[in-house]
Amino acid sequence: MTDDVAESPSALGLGLCLRAAAVCAAVGLIGGTAVALGHFGKDDSRLTAGVGFTAGVVIAAASFLLSSLVIAWADTVDRRMILPVGLMTYVFKIVVIGMVVFGIARRDWPGLTPLLWGIAVGAASWIVAQATWTYRWAQSQPEILPQPGIPPMRGK
């Protein structure tokens, strides 16, 4: 891998994906176990709740990972493709997740509520991991000083 590729926005984004996926995996494992142990009811419902929560975190993480990979691919092909490809991926993901959730709801699976909570917690943990990584990355960048002879940009 050349230095140009290692410093490209796509390469930086893929590094973030690995970190965020690791955070979501930890949240899913710990959260699923906690939900299973803390869920009151029969032993079967405890397992179902834990599996539902963990599956929700996995769904959210897979959704964000898919977006990141598709956007990184679009960036390598042509930067002008990022917005349309990202939006099409977003619509596709929402439709698929909606179909899965509504399909599960029609079957009256007792793990549906923990699944929905898992999706919410998984999405939140990915966003926090991404925000933390972005903040740390931005702090490590050199300060951009105004160039002499070029007036600063001002809003209208």
Side-chain angles (χ1 to χ4, degrees):
M1 186 184 296
T2 66
D3 289 337
D4 293 338
V5 174
E7 291 299 319
S8 73
S10 297
L12 291 171
L14 294 177
L16 163 67
C17 286
L18 296 175
R19 289 176 180 88
V23 168
C24 284
V27 167
L29 186 64
I30 294 167
T33 304
V35 167
L37 294 176
H39 193 269
F40 299 104
K42 298 182 221 169
D43 289 335
D44 293 346
S45 67
R46 289 176 149 195
L47 180 61
T48 303
V51 167
F53 183 86
T54 303
V57 173
V58 168
I59 289 170
S63 168
F64 279 99
L65 183 61
L66 174 68
S67 292
S68 299
L69 294 174
V70 168
I71 289 169
W73 170 81
D75 186 29
T76 61
V77 174
D78 186 356
R79 292 198 82 136
R80 294 174 293 181
M81 290 177 53
I82 293 173
L83 181 62
V85 168
L87 289 174
M88 287 189 310
T89 304
Y90 177 76
V91 169
F92 172 76
K93 291 183 326 182
I94 294 302
V95 168
V96 169
I97 291 172
M99 289 172 56
V100 167
V101 169
F102 284 117
I104 291 172
R106 291 186 71 187
R107 294 177 185 223
D108 291 331
W109 183 52
L112 178 63
T113 301
L115 174 90
L116 297 174
W117 277 106
I119 291 173
V121 169
S125 62
W126 187 286
I127 290 168
V128 167
Q130 186 170 8
T132 303
W133 183 88
T134 303
Y135 175 77
R136 288 181 181 167
W137 176 82
Q139 294 299 312
S140 71
Q141 299 304 303
E143 183 178 350
I144 300 174
L145 301 174
Q147 298 294 321
I150 300 175
M153 294 184 64
R154 295 192 180 149
K156 294 184 178 186

